[in-house]
Amino acid sequence: MGKTTLARVVYSMISNQFEACSFVANVREVCEKYGILQLQQKLLNDLSILRDMNVKDVDNAVYMIKNRLRHKKILLIIDDVNELDQMNKLGAKHDWLGPGSRVIITTRDAKLLTTQKVDGIYEAKVLSNGEAFHLFNLKAFDKEHPPKDYLKLSLAFVHYAGGLPLAIEVLGSILNGRSTFEWKSVLDRLREFPERKILNVLQISFDGLHETEQEIFLNIACFFNHKNQETIIPILDCLELYPKIGLSTLIEKSLIKLEDNQLWMHDLLQEMGRDIVRRECPKDQPEKRSRLWLYEDIDNVLTNNTGTEAIQGIVLPFLGTEGAQWNPESFSKMNRLKLLIIEDSYLMYDPKNLPNGLRYLNWHGYPSKSLPTSFQPDELIELHLCFSNIEQLWTRAKPWEMLKKLIVLNLEGCKNLKSLPRKFEMKSLKILILSNCSKIKTIPEFGENMGRVKDLYLNGTAITKLPTSIGNLSGLVSLDVRDCKNLMSLPSTFFSLTGLKDLSLSGCSKLIENLGRGESFDGIGQMPSSKAICLPESIAQLSNLKVLKVDNCTSLQSFPTLPLNIGYVEGFGCSSLETVPVLLRPNSSFEPRLFLSNCSKLTGNQGFIDLFFAVIKKSPQGLSPNYHGERYGMVFPGSEIPEWFSHQCMGNEVNIMEPFSHLCNDWIGIAVCIAFCSLSCRQINYSPVHFRWRVNGKDMSSVGINGRASNYCISDVMVALSDHIWLWYLLPQDVWEKDRKSLWECDANGFREIGIKIDNTDSGLVKKCGLRVVYKKDIEDLNGNVVQSGNNSIIPYEGLKESLNLWPMYTFINGLSTICLITVVNESPSSFTRMNKEWVTNSSKTKKSLSSSRISKSTPLESVPTGDQPRWMRAARQLYWLFYEALLKILALGFLSVSILRSNKEVAELPNREAVVKDKCLGLTCG
């Protein structure tokens, strides 16, 4: 039901609980016609404050309302408010109300409610299909079920109304008592001419908008409904419509919605917006409208060359149309055209001119070899000519000098593009995209005024080097030179780009080889020649680098020390890579994600597991997402899930039951491990594996940089040709706020089900999965079994046993300690007998347990709870560990003095050797 109807229902249900009540209806409409004084008089009369007396002054009425309301327990409904002043003058203020009073306000503008600091906001929802069908039947047939002949038609009208109560009531009333033939005629008419009574009500909110907000609403209704917010905002910026504040206002007034970063509006609101544009001119004259979005209208105007100055925007989505015969001069009369988007690449049309006032031009598959010579792009802000036939933008140099306002130049996939200017001098440019322009061999020099460039995409070009003037791009954040197979070197000025965050060198095999041989800097700052192919140490100078991609760099054998701010390292197909990069950041709140696939020499490398455990150990101190808003994870070659993952399953789903009390008090995170491989026979277009985190059978959404995410995936381009391991760590704060309540729900026994559901795609196969809820005690256990050495690498306890070859001696000491302890107990029974009797006598709780479970000399010490052990047993246990620890310390020092390590080389590789061995042996004792 609608806002007003809902308010009336609540009013009728609870009004008898108050001393006085008032329902002030249609505030917006009454104020526009008669002013607010009439409503104030009604309020005073309803509340028995003033009867049969006219108040001629608004301020006097405010004074009376303010002073009288606080003495009564009242219920006040203020319906359809559209201004803050209306609420203030009708008593909707906290400090005006008496104890127990309630005020309910209905409005189309949520911003008014937040400004007034109301205690709660409820957003009226559209009706469900069942509710809408029920209401429609009551209005159209005066009963709950339609006649059989009307069923399909009824469903069609309900679908058209989209759950909007107003539309359902209006349509039902119009159709009541009419024949099926009339119903069909009304439905056909609605498809071209929406019902005026519905649109008039919907247009009330539109009429109250600022001029720029109205323009934004009409652009979304005509062009951009159900589009991504990140796509729409730059276009609206080009049109100078101030979209950030404008979109916020439209959302507050419930004219548009933002869900999962996508903007959309109700179908009837979209119809209302398009109807406003249609009514700008007669039906048969589309050239006189401000916006064209239907192919029939666009084709009519461009074929007959009937364009006018009225047209401000044309958007033609991809329709697969072939061979459109448009007039080459068709744009010559559209002097006010600012927005032109043509996504249909099959149009065989060679325009002779384009409007000079264009601000946003996006022509996918532009058919000409160059832009018209008459086109003067002084106002152009974004230019997109992806996958076009263009060979050069202009046949003369002058237009390049006119691009003073250009922010984005996107020529992706222009395979015929050969010519670029000698030098770029576009001071406003922020994004330059030349991706897959395969005939581009040289990048122009960059002028000194190009410090605003943030993103530079040169992937798939035929360049052999970058210009030395790349150092002028002082604001560069992202550089992509993927698959530049001829790229041989980087200029020394490259390492002055300290703001660079995202660097992709994937597929640059010649560059990687030269980097390792010290031939990468044109003779400047060369590295010593080395057999091991490695990125230069100079990369650490890129202090803000966040993302590094080195896919298909088959010669790469190792990583240098990477910048401290690195957040993501990706290497797919680095078949020579032998070492795991050192990524642990002890003093940082986030840890880099590491994705290495098809790096065969890394298979079974324990360093990955150690790094993952080290990150988990840090999580109690706080673990933040990286700058992309993504949580910690890694992918590497391998097939075995560590035993530490306490719940493992061969299928695609694993669930565990956890006590509610544990999750409330000690829960730190959830660790996930998945063993998978790709199906190489399939075309890889998306991630081979993705999973969903579930609580009590409900999918949990997580918080991401682009809003809510319901599943976790690896990469859209990764192909795992062998078995791989995917590790992921989830934190409680990762859960989407609206889903967090599920974490507090449990069954009758105080347990809740936590699990993961893995969805195989056509390109991936899951072999095994593991799950573990991480508690505080798990962190303590990890601290006992995994320790950190001085060079930030993690050396596992098992690995230490093998390198020192201490396992036989460890077994010997363990047995010797046990024998000594048993000997002490057996040979000194009298002292322990006295303590045992005291314990039995003084502990009533243990009498019952002793009768069912005897503690004898043969009972293992660890099988008896510590709190229930007699004093002699606790003393024996303490003696056991003291003796055990002393032997191990002596043994460790002895091994160091006689060099029991396997070789001097192994000793030399361990930093702070004495401390390392000593600490690891103590770890054995505590384990």
Side-chain angles (χ1 to χ4, degrees), residues 640-653:
E640 296 299 324
I641 295 180
E643 294 182 1
W644 180 83
F645 287 90
S646 52
H647 298 82
Q648 300 187 20
C649 179
M650 296 300 293
N652 283 15
E653 184 174 3

Side-chain angles (χ1 to χ4, degrees), residues 661-673:
S661 57
H662 289 185
L663 288 173
C664 286
N665 300 324
D666 299 322
W667 178 33
I668 293 176
I670 294 179
V672 177
C673 184

Side-chain angles (χ1 to χ4, degrees), residues 478-742:
S478 177
L479 174 63
D480 190 345
V481 289
R482 281 176 298 141
D483 300 322
C484 292
K485 298 180 180 179
N486 297 325
L487 183 61
M488 304 287 290
S489 64
L490 297 175
S492 59
T493 53
F494 170 78
F495 295 100
S496 67
L497 302 174
T498 56
L500 192 65
K501 293 183 178 181
D502 193 334
L503 174 62
S504 178
L505 301 175
S506 302
C508 300
S509 53
K510 293 182 180 179
L511 174 64
I512 297 298
E513 290 179 8
N514 291 340
L515 287 172
R517 298 190 181 98
E519 301 171 359
S520 59
F521 306 129
D522 299 329
I524 302 175
Q526 292 187 358
M527 294 169 50
S529 180
S530 172
K531 290 184 179 180
I533 305 298
C534 179
L535 294 174
E537 294 291 339
S538 308
I539 200 171
Q541 297 176 19
L542 304 176
S543 56
N544 286 305
L545 189 66
K546 298 291 193 302
V547 176
L548 176 62
K549 298 180 181 180
V550 289
D551 300 343
N552 301 313
C553 295
T554 55
S555 301
L556 184 65
Q557 296 181 8
S558 62
F559 285 93
T561 300
L562 296 176
L564 292 177
N565 286 320
I566 198 76
Y568 177 77
V569 177
E570 176 183 291
F572 298 162
C574 298
S575 55
S576 300
L577 191 61
E578 297 177 346
T579 61
V580 181
V582 177
L583 295 178
L584 190 62
R585 302 287 182 259
N587 299 321
S588 175
S589 63
F590 78 91
E591 290 295 335
R593 299 165 68 231
L594 181 62
F595 279 41
L596 300 175
S597 71
N598 301 324
C599 304
S600 55
K601 293 188 177 182
L602 293 177
T603 303
N605 193 310
Q606 179 68 23
F608 293 108
I609 305 297
D610 301 337
L611 179 61
F612 186 69
F613 285 162
V615 171
I616 292 178
K617 287 167 59 180
K618 279 185 59 177
S619 61
Q621 286 76 44
L623 193 63
S624 303
N626 63 20
Y627 88 110
H628 278 317
E630 295 165 331
R631 298 299 170 179
Y632 185 74
M634 64 171 65
V635 172
F636 56 89
S639 58
E640 296 299 324
I641 295 180
E643 294 182 1
W644 180 83
F645 287 90
S646 52
H647 298 82
Q648 300 187 20
C649 179
M650 296 300 293
N652 283 15
E653 184 174 3
V654 57
N655 296 290
I656 59 178
M657 299 299 293
E658 292 290 313
F660 175 79
S661 57
H662 289 185
L663 288 173
C664 286
N665 300 324
D666 299 322
W667 178 33
I668 293 176
I670 294 179
V672 177
C673 184
I674 299 173
F676 73 97
C677 70
S678 294
L679 302 177
S680 56
C681 59
R682 305 278 187 173
Q683 179 67 33
I684 308 299
N685 294 320
Y686 40 79
S687 173
V689 179
H690 53 87
F691 75 87
R692 291 171 282 136
W693 176 24
R694 315 184 79 185
V695 175
N696 297 325
K698 178 184 176 182
D699 291 344
M700 294 287 101
S701 298
S702 63
V703 180
I705 192 171
N706 292 323
R708 183 172 60 185
S710 58
N711 57 41
Y712 303 85
C713 61
I714 301 175
S715 170
D716 292 341
V717 297
M718 195 188 83
V719 182
L721 300 179
S722 60
D723 290 349
H724 279 66
I725 293 294
W726 180 17
L727 294 173
W728 202 265
Y729 191 53
L730 308 171
L731 300 171
Q733 58 265 34
D734 295 347
V735 184
W736 190 258
E737 186 175 357
K738 293 182 179 179
D739 290 340
R740 287 179 188 170
K741 62 180 181 179
S742 298

Side-chain angles (χ1 to χ4, degrees), residues 50 244 789 819 824 896:
L50 182 67
K244 292 183 179 178
S789 71
I819 293 172
V824 170
L896 284 173

Side-chain angles (χ1 to χ4, degrees), residues 389-408:
N389 294 323
I390 204 157
E391 295 181 1
Q392 55 184 350
L393 280 184
W394 285 278
T395 56
R396 54 193 177 91
K398 187 176 180 181
W400 285 102
E401 301 173 3
M402 299 180 181
L403 298 173
K404 297 178 181 179
K405 295 183 178 181
L406 193 69
I407 293 177
V408 178

Side-chain angles (χ1 to χ4, degrees), residues 306-364:
T306 57
T308 67
E309 290 187 353
I311 302 175
Q312 299 179 33
I314 296 176
V315 175
L316 179 62
F318 177 79
L319 299 173
T321 309
E322 297 186 18
Q325 301 300 317
W326 292 346
N327 191 311
E329 304 287 341
S330 56
F331 287 107
S332 60
K333 302 174 185 178
M334 302 182 192
N335 296 329
R336 296 178 60 205
L337 185 66
K338 298 179 180 179
L339 172 65
L340 177 59
I341 300 177
I342 297 179
E343 298 178 352
D344 209 326
S345 59
Y346 292 99
L347 297 172
M348 303 305 295
Y349 172 65
D350 190 0
K352 299 300 180 183
N353 48 56
L354 288 171
N356 293 333
L358 275 174
R359 295 184 177 181
Y360 186 94
L361 173 57
N362 184 344
W363 195 321
H364 187 97

